[in-house]
Amino acid sequence: MLHIGGGAVAFWQPLLSTAQTDAWGVARARRSWDNTGRISEVQMAVRMVRGVLALTLGGVVGWLPVMSGAREPLVAVSVAAAPRLDFTPQQMALALAVSDDADLASFYGSNGLRPIFLGPEGEARRLALRDAIGNAPRHGIPVARYQPDRLTATEGLAAEIAYAHALSRLLRDLTGGVLNPTRVRPEIKRQPVRTAVVPLLARFEAAADPAAVLPGAGPDHPAYLALQQALSGPADLVVPQGLPRIATGVWRPGQRAAAIADLRRRLAAVGFAADAPDATLYDDALARAVSDYQRAAGLPDDGVAGPRTIAALNGDGGTGQDARQRAILVAMERMRWMASEDLDSRHVWVNIPEFSTTIVEDGAEVFRTRSVMGKNTPEMRTPEFSEMMANVVVNPSWNVPRSIAVRDYLPRLQANRHALSHLDVVDGAGRVLARDGIDFGRYSAASFPFRLRQKPSDDNALGVVKFIFPNPWNIYLHDTPSKHLFANRVRAESNGCIRIGDPVDLARALLSRQTDDPAAMFQRARDRERETWLKLTPPVPVHLVYFTAWPGPDGRIRLFDDIYGRDARIWEALQAQGFGAAAPAMVADLNPGL
């Protein structure tokens, strides 16, 4: 890697023409941008230098943006070939035009600045890209984002540049998402791996049939394909208009009423028929149909048609087609953020709005348990990220998070130094201190120098086992003595970590790849009555995700509450990128051609 600044011009002067070197001198002399809205001398100089570097270094892998303002300009480039000094005006113009797009700069730098969309040989590529843009709504992305009108309205080099930028944006969107997730909400820690664009550009150029390359650029996971089908297919949970509304009430087995006949009609209209000689009687078959519908709609599947179930079937309370399709669009964007993840291999999947934790192997769910997620407060919402689970910790100690220690426990210790007797006071060297020698009143939340730790026990806040996947936010999965919370429908009650409803079963399932008797392995560690770390070999990927729309085992899309309001914020960000209130309708108007 070479860093080229003003002080290094003498080294590079033999590679640059006099005019180019003079332009760099102008860039150094002028330290501010032209505020009139016109391109300034320094901007022109910077662009010139960027283009020249792209050309003289032959194969450009990418560079950092040129700095401006009070700092001296700096460009970082990677050398892949001997310097090249002879370029046509068209090649120089192409290099300058793609210099702000690292993917295009790398691609054109490696193919000798050869246009790929011009002339008769570029016709197949032009048609393939226009068709792919026309099919963008199948991914929930509006066609207008790629400015298709510009593609047919330009000629020559301008057309090459327009097609190249449209293709680069389309590939980035499909392989890493439209949005930068970390800018949407601070609790979304996910960082898409955006490394697929340049190889796809190379495949597109080399393909005998370029039209075969682009349709496969998006995620090919079955869940994404199911979301895609649900977006463009019939709304399988939206009741057609014209049917009688269900009267408000709580309808359950054994009751008889005219409203129950209306309940049957609406259920049958969305594929949950339960025929009976007496349509007004709430029989067992109807209860099963209601339960099936509730699971598909993301409702508690108790088989009782209460206010939320009736509202959903009546199309009230934001459960209509538009809300459903918005949830699907957001879910597809989230899947694109995870396009580089191998979601078919063995992994742990924690879906926060579903309050569930599952193990997936070979693309199929093999274990499921209820979970408790973080409270809906800024400091306690469970974040989204992926990591590797390395250890199962049996009989864990609980190191009280500092935020909890100083906020909740320090005031109690100041009132009574012997309060919270189940917690040890630990110094920086890990020694347990006697409380008689500590004046807790001397310390504030900022100056408190100790840690609080709970020894392994049946009453330990982490229960009998925790699951470690190192991360900067100290988030992990664990058991809990508060078992009653798992009976709640909404389970946002923790301080951010994920509490597991069946932790011992989860531990045994995770250990099953490294022993023939995972139950015995776990029990031996449990019987030691001290903290014991069991290493997972190999480590298991863990994905903490947030999908309010997700396909169930039957392929139907299930909906879950947006408990933290993250989907609403993502939808706002997508609207700022060209998605709008009419986005769901664009699917119905899909036109593969342009």
Side-chain angles (χ1 to χ4, degrees), residues 2-13:
L2 296 174
H3 299 277
I4 313 304
V9 171
F11 176 80
W12 284 95
Q13 192 163 355

Side-chain angles (χ1 to χ4, degrees), residues 279-349:
T280 64
L281 175 64
Y282 203 121
D283 56 15
D284 291 342
L286 179 58
R288 288 193 295 272
V290 169
S291 182
D292 290 343
Y293 168 79
Q294 289 168 330
R295 280 193 296 274
L299 298 169
D301 55 340
D302 55 10
V304 175
R308 295 186 73 228
T309 300
I310 293 172
L313 284 166
N314 282 339
D316 300 332
T319 57
Q321 173 72 339
D322 286 354
R324 178 178 183 272
Q325 288 199 307
R326 283 196 297 272
I328 293 172
L329 287 167
V330 171
M332 293 175 72
E333 172 69 1
R334 288 181 175 279
M335 282 295 287
R336 290 189 289 267
W337 296 345
M338 301 182 71
S340 63
E341 302 285 356
D342 181 1
L343 298 182
D344 289 324
S345 63
R346 190 181 196 224
H347 65 267
V348 176
W349 183 265

Side-chain angles (χ1 to χ4, degrees), residues 44-85:
M44 181 63 76
V46 163
R47 291 186 182 183
M48 176 77 75
V49 171
R50 285 172 125 176
V52 168
L53 288 172
L55 302 176
T56 58
L57 296 179
V60 179
V61 176
W63 53 80
L64 300 175
V66 173
M67 307 290 289
S68 66
R71 296 184 181 181
E72 186 172 291
L74 176 68
V75 181
V77 295
S78 296
V79 178
R84 177 184 171 190
L85 300 177

